[in-house]
Amino acid sequence: MRFKRILLKLSGESLMGEQQYGIDTNMLVQYAEEIKSAVDLGAEVAVVIGGGNIFRGVQAEAVGLDRVQGDYMGMLATVINSMALQSALEKVGIFTRLLSGINIQQVCEPYIRRRAMRHLEKGRVVIFGAGTGNPYFTTDSAASLRAIEIEADVVLKGTRVDGIYTADPEKDASAVRYEDITFEEVFEKGLNVMDMTAFTLCKENNLPIVVFDINKKGNLARLIQGERVGTLVSM
Ligand code: UDP
């Protein structure tokens, strides 16, 4: 196996599926099945899911609400998505624990690093809810931070495109996909992989990132077994 301990970042926005808002159960089931295939191979899986399908901090500012309040609302949105994913995983027979960066003791365990690592060793899928627990961050930053803390081998950013391109492939037909790229090149070329805070955290801690298409069935299992899927960012 190429990657034994992974941190999978899923966007909240893609949970909407074909809908305009909220959670599409088909997407949840699809994610749960992908994660199960990784667990069945013996991988230790941690997941961070965004909240963009429900609320983003910047939206609050746009309508004249307080930004920090908005960020906390966004963090709570990630907890809602995490709870939904937890249920979907349990339905396919996977043991999970949801650890939150904000204390919500009735539904989540508090985030305790050692506990997270113990859960992973026992084969439980660990979902990190509420991002970093701090405003002005994103769930990409939470993914990078938690991955480093739990000593994950890689951050796998599941998206709807199959890697990093020279330009946005949804807008520019001549865009070409990279198989490999260095952190430095991403900076130089101004490519958009993650927000800068999240990306820098990976770079400074030499944590590789793979950007891949999570909607293609079997991709996650292929990736952790070492097949070339998506784009690998490394030193
Ligand atoms: N958020 C935050 N701190 C964190 C993680 C998230 O304040 O550590 C807030 C922020 O307002 C963000 C929202 O939660 O807009 C939802 O997360 P994100 O936008 O990263 O979700 P995604 O785009 O992946 O769906």
Side-chain angles (χ1 to χ4, degrees):
M1 198 188 303
R2 168 101 191 268
F3 301 118
K4 170 77 183 163
R5 179 173 290 173
I6 62 167
L7 192 137
L8 175 65
K9 164 74 207 307
L10 299 170
S11 90
E13 187 146 5
S14 61
L15 257 195
M16 289 191 284
E18 301 293 304
Q19 301 170 193
Q20 295 299 308
Y21 179 84
I23 301 172
D24 177 347
T25 22
N26 294 325
M27 293 303 296
L28 269 184
V29 171
Q30 185 188 317
Y31 285 164
E33 279 169 358
E34 282 297 293
I35 293 168
K36 181 178 174 9
S37 68
V39 173
D40 289 346
L41 287 167
E44 295 178 359
V45 184
V47 186
V48 168
I49 186 157
N53 55 321
I54 301 172
F55 199 83
R56 282 207 179 92
V58 285
Q59 277 171 253
E61 254 185 341
V63 295
L65 299 176
D66 179 61
R67 167 69 195 263
V68 173
Q69 182 87 336
D71 280 340
Y72 279 112
M73 290 165 74
M75 286 184 253
L76 294 179
T78 73
V79 174
I80 293 174
N81 287 338
S82 298
M83 290 171 71
L85 183 65
Q86 180 172 40
S87 274
L89 284 166
E90 281 169 352
K91 271 229 161 118
V92 295
I94 300 288
F95 295 101
T96 70
R97 292 290 188 274
L98 170 53
L99 275 57
S100 173
I102 293 177
N103 287 346
I104 317 176
Q105 62 185 12
Q106 277 77 6
V107 287
C108 317
E109 292 180 16
Y111 171 69
I112 297 170
R113 174 179 175 256
R114 284 173 192 280
R115 190 179 266 184
M117 294 177 82
R118 187 79 189 114
H119 288 322
L120 290 167
E121 285 163 10
K122 287 191 171 175
R124 297 170 185 144
V125 169
V126 172
I127 307 170
F128 294 119
T132 63
N134 298 291
Y136 297 107
F137 287 91
T138 62
T139 48
D140 276 354
S141 294
S144 305
L145 175 66
R146 298 295 186 231
I148 295 161
E149 288 186 87
I150 62 166
E151 293 164 13
D153 300 318
V154 67
V155 175
L156 304 177
K157 182 163 167 153
T159 66
R160 54 187 187 177
V161 284
D162 62 351
I164 301 167
Y165 282 74
T166 49
D168 184 347
E170 289 177 347
K171 290 177 190 143
D172 184 347
S174 68
V176 180
R177 186 171 65 89
Y178 294 100
E179 282 243 322
D180 292 284
I181 190 164
T182 64
F183 286 105
E184 213 49 65
E185 281 176 284
V186 170
F187 276 124
E188 276 165 21
K189 298 188 161 82
L191 300 171
N192 186 19
V193 177
M194 286 178 169
D195 63 81
M196 274 302 151
T197 309
F199 189 76
T200 307
L201 209 48
C202 291
K203 180 175 187 277
E204 288 179 346
N205 292 282
N206 194 13
L207 175 71
I209 306 164
V210 177
V211 178
F212 75 107
D213 182 357
I214 182 73
N215 296 320
K216 192 166 169 211
K217 202 170 159 25
N219 257 358
L220 183 61
R222 279 194 284 275
L223 227 176
I224 61 173
Q225 290 178 100
E227 262 184 58
R228 301 306 312 262
V229 173
T231 303
L232 171 70
V233 188
S234 60
M235 279 297 181

